[in-house]
Amino acid sequence: MKRKVYVILTAAGKGERFSKASKLKKPKQFIRLLGKPVILHSLLLFQKCKYVDGIFVTSGREYFEYIHSLAASGRIIKLSGLVEGGKTRFESVRNAFLEIKGNPYDLVLIHDAARPNINIDMVNDIIKAAMRSGEVIYGSKVSETVKRSKNGFVTETLNRKNLWFVQTPQVFRHDVLKSAYKKSGKKNDFTDESGMVERAGNRVKLMEGSKENIKITSASDITLLKKLMK
Ligand code: CTP
Ligand code: MG
């Protein structure tokens, strides 16, 4: 049986840091960037990816109609469901995961709609890596010195050699995610699914991605992305 690949695209955040700085009311994943809404960049890419079978988008209910119309205009025929988000990103992804009727060996790729600067090679590469070795996430090596502090004073300088900034996409086997959710119970303060999967005792492979795969957080990220993506 062919292994299926499902995408969970997170778009249920309010983008509060971004809105505060830019005075734009719309969540950052819906503003226009180089001619199309930020989220559409990722939707078009996953539509184009030959491995992807279905796309689940998490968002607030008030955006369901809007996303449906975006998908229709962009011919995103792989859109399989819109799922109401939760209070945190972690809860939003869990809600979406529960909608996927997958088999144990199917793959689930999780990506933040707020990271529009991904390309087809990156997506294909991480899916192929996950087909070989299971759980795989993208990150970039830390290039600055990192210190720990207490009350504004340094307590420790970390060895940056083994430190990574972690990004999305992240890919997991369906059964690994399922049992990690089960094991984590009510604990829901993970900042990404990899954290939960690691805690459940699984080995997660780090793939070096691109430092240009930035997550829109504040207004200046848009200026930067316009330069990087054109
Ligand atoms: N997200 C989500 N559900 C939430 C919170 C966030 O699906 N309850 C999504 C966001 O839409 C975004 C991704 O998770 O694509 C990363 O989150 P973040 O960058 O923190 O976005 P926001 O939470 O929207 O921004 P902020 O924290 O500034 O409010
Ligand atoms: Mg947030």
Side-chain angles (χ1 to χ4, degrees), residues 6-12 54-59 64 79-86 88-102 108-111 174 177 181 193:
Y6 299 100
V7 169
I8 295 176
L9 187 60
T10 70
I55 306 168
F56 293 80
V57 178
T58 73
S59 86
F64 279 10
L79 183 68
S80 309
L82 297 182
V83 185
E84 191 168 12
T88 62
R89 177 189 177 283
F90 185 76
E91 285 175 26
S92 297
V93 173
R94 187 167 52 195
N95 290 351
F97 180 74
L98 292 172
E99 294 296 314
I100 299 175
K101 305 285 167 267
V108 179
L109 180 154
I110 301 165
H111 183 63
H174 188 279
L177 264 183
Y181 278 123
E193 289 59 46

Side-chain angles (χ1 to χ4, degrees), residues 94-223:
R94 187 167 52 195
N95 290 351
F97 180 74
L98 292 172
E99 294 296 314
I100 299 175
K101 305 285 167 267
N103 289 311
Y105 288 97
D106 290 342
L107 296 176
V108 179
L109 180 154
I110 301 165
H111 183 63
D112 290 332
R115 289 186 192 270
N117 193 19
I118 53 170
N119 60 52
I120 195 76
D121 290 335
M122 283 170 63
V123 172
N124 286 339
D125 286 351
I126 194 170
I127 292 172
K128 283 187 272 183
M131 287 184 173
R132 289 191 301 270
S133 42
E135 289 53 63
V136 189
I137 66 177
Y138 268 125
S140 65
K141 287 182 178 155
V142 169
S143 54
E144 292 172 75
T145 299
V146 183
K147 296 183 193 286
R148 202 189 296 281
S149 74
K150 196 174 180 187
N151 303 327
F153 288 89
V154 175
T155 57
E156 193 188 350
T157 299
L158 303 176
N159 182 353
R160 72 165 180 232
K161 216 178 91 198
N162 298 315
L163 293 178
W164 293 68
F165 292 117
V166 166
Q167 312 166 342
T168 67
Q170 304 191 343
V171 185
F172 309 94
R173 282 168 292 188
H174 188 279
D175 61 337
V176 168
L177 264 183
K178 191 173 167 180
S179 71
Y181 278 123
K182 207 167 164 189
K183 264 193 192 171
S184 71
K186 289 211 167 60
K187 186 170 157 55
N188 63 0
D189 56 352
F190 296 102
T191 51
D192 69 356
E193 289 59 46
S194 181
M196 171 187 73
V197 164
E198 295 151 30
R199 174 62 76 83
N202 301 282
R203 243 159 60 107
V204 176
K205 187 176 170 59
L206 266 163
M207 279 217 323
E208 189 156 12
S210 159
K211 284 206 161 69
E212 299 181 354
N213 176 12
I214 55 178
K215 188 179 72 170
I216 301 169
T217 304
S218 57
S220 62
D221 293 324
I222 293 292
T223 319

